[in-house]
Structure formats: C-alpha cells, structure tokens
Amino acid sequence: MLAGVLIMVVGIIISIALHEVGHLLPAKLFKVRVTQYMVGFGPTLWSKTKGETEYGVKAVPLGGYVAMIGMYPPPEQKSDDAAATDAAEDSGPADPYLQQVGAQYVAPPIERSSAAERVPDEQKTVMSHSTGIFQQMSQEAREVASEELRPGDENRMFFRLATWKKVIIMLGGPAMNGLLALLLTAGTVSLHGMNTATTEVADVFECITTVEAEDAAEVVAERECTESDPAGPAFEAGLEPGDEILAFGGTEIDEWDDLTPLIRDAAGTPNQVVYLRDGEEHTTEVTPILTERPVEGRMGAPERDADGSLVTEPVGFIGVVSLTEVQRQAPWEAGPIVYEQTRAVGQVVLTLPQRMYDVGVSTFTEVERDPDGPMSVVGVGRVAGEISAQDQIPWESRFATLMSLVAGVNIALMVFNLIPLLPLDGGHVAGALYEALRRRWAKLRGKPDPGPFDISKLLPLTYAVAVLLIGMGLMLILADIINPIRLFD
C-alpha cells in the first residue's frame, strides 16, 4: 500500500514540476527574465541560482510557480505637477517602467529571490498615489514586485509581449500536463494493454433480473431469480460460457461493441446467432426482450442520477456478459481515451458547485458518495494505496493502473488550470485576450491605444478565488478522510 502512495506522490510532484517547466521554457524563449522556478509552497528546502533564475523546492508539494518580471503594466500616469513633486522628493531609475512596474507570477506578496538581494536600494522605490483600498492593494503589489527589477529589464517584461506570446507562456503549463497524460496513456495501452471486451461469452443469465437487483449484487452469482423474472433469452437459446459469437442476425461480429447495438435494437425480433464452441460452428435463434438497462457514460461506467440511482433506458437484452481481456492497443489509441477523460473532467468542472454540495452532503450524512466526483490529493493517494494492496492483481497491472491514475491527475490539472479566473493560468490568458480585444476595439473606433490591461486591479478577485480554492481543497480532504471513495470493498 505504501508503495502505491509513494508512486502517486512522486508522480504528482513530477507533474507539478513539468507544469512549471511548461511556463519556464517559453518565457525564456521570449526573453522574459524569470527570477524564480519553484516546486511547492512554504519554506524553501533547497534552492540554487543559475544565471538569472533561482531554482528551488519548497516544503509543501501542492503546487508551484514561475516568477516573471513585468506581469503588471505601469500604473496610470500622474499629472505633471504631481510628477514634478514626486521627482523632487524621490529618486529612482530613469526608465519610467522600472519605476512603476512590478512582476510576479503568483499572487503577491512574493518571496524575494536571491537575485533581488543584489538590486541596489535606489532601484526599489516606487511612487504611490493610489486612493481607496483596492487601488492601494494594486499599488502595493507593484511596489513589492518592483524589488525584482534591475537595469536592462526595459524590454524583458511580460506585459510588453505580444498577445500570442503571453498566451503561449500561460498555456505552456496546461499543455505540458496534457502531453504528459497523453504519453502516460500511450505507454500504458501499448506496453501493458487495456481491458477489452472480447466476442467470447463469459456468463449467461438464467433470468433477467431488475437493474436494481443487479446493482445490489456484488457478483453475478448473487443474482437470484424470482417467479416474476423472465427467462434469459440467451440461456433458453442454449448459449454457454466459452462460446464465441461469430454473427448476429446475419451481421458478422468482429468485436463486442458490434454486437451490443444490434441486440439493443432487436427487441422482440427473432435473430439467428452463429457461435463457435469447441472449434465447431453452431446456429441458434434468440429473441431479445425489451427491458430497462443502465445507460453507459462516456467512460463506460453506468450513469447515475442525483440520488445515486442508475439511469436506465428500455432496450433489447439477451442476458450475456462478454469475457474481458487485457489487450495491447496501438499508441495512437491514447488520443480518444485522453479526449474522453478530458470531457469527463470538464463536465465535473462545469458542475463543480453542485458536485461540492454533493460531497458535503455525503460527508455529513448517510448519502453514498459519488465515485465519479472530485477528490483531493489525499483521496488520490488513498486510491493508489488500495490499488497497490490488491495482491491478487498482477504487479504489472497494478503499476499500469497507477500510471493511468497519474495520467488522470494531469488531465485534471490541465482542465482546472484553464478556468478563466486568476490566479489560474486561464485567468492570465483571459486577461491577455481582453487586452488585445480592447486595443483592437479602440483602434477600430479611432481612439488612442488604452495600453496594457492592469491585472493587479483584479487582486481582490484573485484573493477571493484563492480563498475558495483553499476552502474547496480542505473540504475535499475532510471528505476523503471521513467518507473516502473506495474502489475495493
């Protein structure tokens, strides 16, 4: 169990580190000065300055950041009289941007890097003329961030980049997580394989029970037939476990997914079934019955409503289960898998308020927790421990499952960081796009260039979002301790 938790912890830390590399590389490519590359938050455990960047690891490995200069544009210009008064009272760099512009990646106040210690005191003075708590908050943020500035930074500040360069830098992190998820998934499905339904019959139902009875039974053998349950069509037709389905209703069957829609659409209609048993072909006739069956979600799991009950639909059914085998797939099959997982995570994010409410209800009541709902790193670690503790599962299958879990974490990091709210990457992308649209609109109207968009004015919203994220994280951790999601009973 400990091995699984350790693998997951290392996987998450590497995922975070590579996310930040996704920001670091394009930033350096576009000549933005990066002062810090940090994995984790809190006290610094280790750091080393190489060139102009301090690289380090912090105590709490629940995130990371890349600090770049010039994230904030210059403040509004003061009147000539005010500027003259301040010039007489205050001295600083000759370049006005270096006097007024700060830079940081995470919400201020930021920790000063070792590079900042070498900046002369006279270059750390920033004029303050804000009035009001929000304006003062914005100005103070720029003052703190300006401590990282030094001569020669005039053309290396983030806010001076073209919009497309800003977007590339900010999308670099999520893109790295998406690439990592794709590579892990491709490696898993091609080297180990994935569970695939074959055309061989694994079990035949003597009767067709209700979906509620099937859902309550942990294994097929526990399904008990009653007098009101109709006989299983496949059982009556003489099909047995081990038979390989070759054709249904005149249509050749190459894989189980070919058979399922044919049966569902043939309720009440007799169909010939050709099957292989002990090397010999046989033919029988089966008539699917119309019954309520669970609706499959995008990832193959049955859908459930808000009460946790199975969502059903009336379709044809003959009462057979396919044999599932681990089969290797082509690496490019990872694309559709990651796409479907991304869509599933996106649906969770879009309904996050409702999902969090459901988590709270299940935590403090007897309501069953949604296994497809959000979980914290504690829950992910717990699931990893459960997987590694299943001695009856071959070690290579357990390792492959853990790699798939790490891939899922990367998909979650990618989607979550694309939410267009600061301090998330999507919020910075939204700010850059808004700035480009504002400038374009002004140009079309023949108005003066409004200049860069000052994201420091959104600091109150940034802090509010940060508080909500922290609260959500704490709620999920509590839920994963009190009422965790379990894969195995």
Side-chain angles (χ1 to χ4, degrees), residues 310-323:
L310 289 171
V311 178
T312 63
E313 61 180 346
V315 294
F317 188 64
I318 64 174
V320 291
V321 177
S322 68
L323 179 67

Side-chain angles (χ1 to χ4, degrees), residues 445-456:
R445 298 171 60 199
K447 301 291 184 180
D449 186 349
F453 175 59
D454 188 359
I455 63 171
S456 69

Side-chain angles (χ1 to χ4, degrees), residues 383-399:
V383 169
E386 286 188 14
I387 294 172
S388 64
Q390 303 303 309
D391 295 332
Q392 73 276 16
I393 302 176
W395 71 267
E396 60 270 20
S397 296
R398 283 179 282 167
F399 183 78

Side-chain angles (χ1 to χ4, degrees), residues 203 205 217-225:
D203 191 42
F205 301 161
E218 295 183 1
V219 294
V220 174
E222 294 182 359
R223 300 174 180 175
E224 297 182 357
C225 296

Side-chain angles (χ1 to χ4, degrees), residues 33-71:
R33 186 163 67 86
V34 180
T35 59
Q36 286 185 309
Y37 167 89
M38 290 290 171
V39 177
F41 297 114
T44 301
L45 300 180
W46 170 88
S47 70
K48 180 179 180 180
T49 300
K50 185 176 181 181
E52 59 189 16
T53 305
E54 179 186 10
Y55 302 86
V57 177
K58 291 181 175 289
V60 185
L62 296 180
Y65 64 91
V66 169
M68 299 176 285
I69 66 166
M71 290 295 291

Side-chain angles (χ1 to χ4, degrees), residues 359-384:
V359 169
V361 171
S362 63
T363 301
F364 300 106
T365 66
E366 298 298 324
V367 176
E368 183 179 355
R369 187 171 175 184
D370 181 6
D372 297 324
M375 69 173 70
S376 69
V377 291
V378 173
V380 173
R382 189 183 187 112
V383 169

